[in-house]
Amino acid sequence: MKNPTPRGYCSATPKILVVGSIAFDTIKTPFGKKKEILGGSATYFSYAASLFTPVHLLGVVGSDFPAAQIEKFRKRRIDTSGIQVRSGKTFRWCGRYEKNLKEAKTVSCALNVMDKYSPELPEHYRNSQYIFLANIDPEIQLKTLKQVNSPKLVVCDTMNHWVKTKLPELKKLLKKVDILLLNDEEARLLTGQENLISACRKIIRWGPKTAIIKKGEHGVILTTGKNDFFFTPAFPTTGVSDPTGAGDSFGGGFTGYIAATNDSSAANMHKALIYGAVVASFTVEDFGLKALEKIGISNVEQRVNQIKKMIQI
Ligand code: AMP
């Protein structure tokens, strides 16, 4: 299925900027093993968000990165002029999932060209309005943010690794972001709170105006820390084969919808959560980016309508 240009969604100039990893992943799940397939937090995000609106992609790859893949990004309305190509190898990540597919165990991780990467934004990236700081070293996330002129909305993701190794840098970054997006285990580790409502409140005290906690198949919580908790379910799919990239695709669907509608009101954010959940539901149904490559916005809309029916009371 081709990726249509959806009416009412598309805009010619990218409003979204994403920084994060561009990787080759080796993934083992109970349903199979794939070696050195395209992955990375910024890659998943870009594929997901570009279903809604063009994206400026910022990251680094090695000289082993195929030119044909750069061309594939461009065909999906993903601007690649912010990708640095450095001599050396592209970032590699190897992960394994147990039967319950809940959490990835990192088997190995080689930063390669991502080590000492310092982001430099092309001039035309600097006026991006919606910023997604995908999972990468918080110092790189901070350096990126410093080069953006006056963003409307800054959304940030991270992972356990950075909570354990770069907590002071992460806390400094949190003061500058509008929304922090985490999964339940990351939220517990970051805040030391077992209860997710308490975890949300603690996150809000550190800077973000909004906290979003993803609970895998059990859906998502969004709050601004007062008494405005909003919950959405995950799309009920049974065909999960590889959860890699679910969080980044959720971020892409969520931020992509907000940027395309140019509306970051609370009511629109609630709708955007459903788009995030739906895009992530496609990602997990196949390995790597395979499922996202096949769908268009009409497939997304179909599942959004199904979720809307599910939550009608
Ligand atoms: P997710 O499953 O949404 O949390 O993201 C999975 C992606 O994160 C994989 O494609 C990996 O390449 C990438 N990844 C894993 N570890 C790191 C890391 N330390 N820094 C940046 N990206 C990473």
Side-chain angles (χ1 to χ4, degrees), residues 36 215 275:
E36 305 239 319
K215 301 186 296 154
Y275 282 84

Side-chain angles (χ1 to χ4, degrees), residues 19 131-135 141 144-145 154-158 173 177:
V19 65
I131 314 299
F132 193 84
L133 306 170
N135 173 28
Q141 294 174 311
T144 301
L145 206 47
V154 180
V155 187
C156 177
D157 190 6
T158 190
L173 174 69
V177 312

Side-chain angles (χ1 to χ4, degrees), residues 21 23 25 39-41 44 91 93 97 106 109 111 114 135-137 159 161-162 186 243-248:
S21 57
D25 291 344
S41 56
Y44 279 102
F91 172 63
W93 177 74
Y97 296 84
T106 296
C109 178
L111 288 178
M114 223 162 74
N135 173 28
I136 198 167
D137 186 331
M159 75 184 291
H161 175 70
W162 306 118
E186 291 158 353
T244 310
D248 311 308

Side-chain angles (χ1 to χ4, degrees), residues 17-20 58-59 84 86 113-122 125-126 131-134 136-149 151 154 156 166 169-170 172-174 176-177:
L17 161 68
V18 59
V19 65
L58 189 71
Q84 270 181 38
R86 293 175 63 188
V113 294
M114 223 162 74
D115 189 25
K116 303 204 173 66
Y117 163 59
S118 189
E120 275 170 45
L121 270 65
Y125 276 37
R126 293 175 192 249
I131 314 299
F132 193 84
L133 306 170
I136 198 167
D137 186 331
E139 288 187 73
I140 297 177
Q141 294 174 311
L142 260 171
K143 278 186 187 163
T144 301
L145 206 47
K146 280 191 182 145
Q147 296 172 60
V148 181
N149 291 333
V154 180
C156 177
K166 297 247 170 142
E169 292 83 355
L170 188 57
K172 194 170 157 195
L173 174 69
L174 290 186
K176 300 180 195 307
V177 312

Side-chain angles (χ1 to χ4, degrees), residues 207-226:
K209 293 180 211 62
T210 302
I212 299 178
I213 299 185
K214 298 162 285 170
K215 301 186 296 154
E217 69 200 89
H218 303 297
V220 188
I221 311 175
L222 177 148
T223 184
T224 60
K226 296 165 194 118

Side-chain angles (χ1 to χ4, degrees), residues 34-35 38 43 45 53 92 97 109 160 189 232 259 280 306:
K34 295 281 174 217
K35 266 184 102 175
L38 179 69
T43 310
F45 176 91
T53 187
R92 259 48 175 197
Y97 296 84
C109 178
N160 285 354
L189 181 74
T232 53
Q306 280 175 262

